[in-house]
Amino acid sequence: MQLMWSKLLLVVPWALGLIPAQRNAPAPRVVRLRAAAVVETPAKELLATLTAPEPAARTERLKDLIERTEATFEPRAFEEQNIKGSWRLRYQLDAKAATRSQKALAGFPADSDFINDESGRRVFRNVARLSSERVYVVADVAYEVGDLLPNRLVSDISAAGLYVHVGRRWNWKPLRIPLPIKGKGWLDVTYLDDSMRVTRGNRGGLFVHVRPELCP
């Protein structure tokens, strides 16, 4: 009986927390949670590549990145007002069926602005700068949004000309030489956000434009 009471006198204070824990007891395990890694979308990766100081090489990896970016876009979500404004060409891949004029101007710095021209028509104005700002080609392409495909722009080249700036010190207007560039076709918007757009033409061309303020 005395032995049983002795054990109780030892157990009860420990159960009530009156006896301190052993100094050599293992410390409680602390579980640290790692922050989830930021997943970069194909569009963000493509934009970063095309706006880098060094121009992007025409590699298969870049083509794959463009295609993965296009796969994230829902054509029915296209809204014309989102494509308005100024754009700068950062990548172009011509198909064999491309026109001679398109092939001839490939590689020159170029802009493509969606605007209303002087007559109020909706156009995208393509400007290829052949020699800084002194010599450039301007082609206005009138367009209408397609009925069957909401992201298809049915297009028609309405005017084209070669502009040469002479007599700037006397505020002369640039000399305009009309060019016999005509053609009808379509342009599919295969990706569009606030910063970048991807389009494909009816002759198989692939074009990626970004907003000018993002370019180096």
Side-chain angles (χ1 to χ4, degrees):
M1 180 66 68
Q2 289 182 351
L3 180 60
M4 183 172 62
W5 281 108
S6 301
K7 290 183 178 180
L8 286 175
L9 290 174
L10 292 175
V11 172
V12 171
W14 175 85
L16 295 176
L18 299 178
I19 297 178
Q22 297 179 4
R23 291 184 179 181
N24 296 329
R29 184 180 179 185
V30 178
V31 179
R32 300 184 182 274
L33 300 178
R34 293 185 179 180
V38 177
V39 178
E40 194 171 51
T41 64
K44 288 184 178 180
E45 185 179 351
L46 177 60
L47 180 62
T49 302
L50 295 178
T51 55
E54 295 296 328
R58 298 184 180 184
T59 62
E60 289 298 323
R61 176 185 173 278
L62 186 56
K63 288 176 59 179
D64 176 70
L65 188 56
I66 294 172
E67 291 174 357
R68 288 193 288 119
T69 298
E70 291 175 307
T72 66
F73 183 67
E74 171 52 59
R76 290 175 296 181
F78 170 74
E79 295 185 6
E80 185 185 357
Q81 64 266 24
N82 295 336
I83 206 171
K84 293 288 188 178
S86 300
W87 298 91
R88 182 151 296 165
L89 181 65
R90 297 299 290 173
Y91 180 84
Q92 176 176 339
L93 183 63
D94 294 325
K96 292 182 179 180
T99 62
R100 287 181 295 176
S101 59
Q102 181 174 308
K103 291 179 179 179
L105 296 175
F108 289 102
D111 295 330
S112 181
D113 303 339
F114 279 75
I115 61 173
N116 286 16
D117 67 6
E118 293 75 10
S119 64
R121 289 180 305 181
R122 295 180 297 178
V123 303
F124 51 92
R125 177 166 291 170
N126 297 318
V127 181
R129 299 182 296 277
L130 307 185
S131 174
S132 183
E133 296 181 359
R134 187 174 295 275
V135 182
Y136 51 92
V137 173
V138 178
D140 279 357
V141 184
Y143 73 91
E144 296 289 339
V145 179
D147 294 328
L148 299 178
L149 298 177
N151 64 318
R152 173 162 292 182
L153 307 180
V154 182
S155 57
D156 182 9
I157 300 176
S158 55
L162 173 68
Y163 290 76
V164 181
H165 273 283
V166 292
R168 279 189 170 183
R169 66 178 65 183
W170 299 289
N171 294 323
W172 290 1
K173 291 184 178 180
L175 174 66
R176 182 182 184 275
I177 303 172
L179 295 176
I181 301 177
K182 295 291 182 181
K184 295 184 178 181
W186 46 258
L187 191 70
D188 282 349
V189 181
T190 55
Y191 181 82
L192 177 65
D193 63 22
D194 294 337
S195 304
M196 180 176 62
R197 68 176 168 93
V198 182
T199 53
R200 292 181 180 268
N202 60 292
R203 288 180 174 267
L206 171 62
F207 313 92
V208 186
H209 292 74
V210 302
R211 295 295 186 184
E213 59 270 20
L214 300 178
C215 296

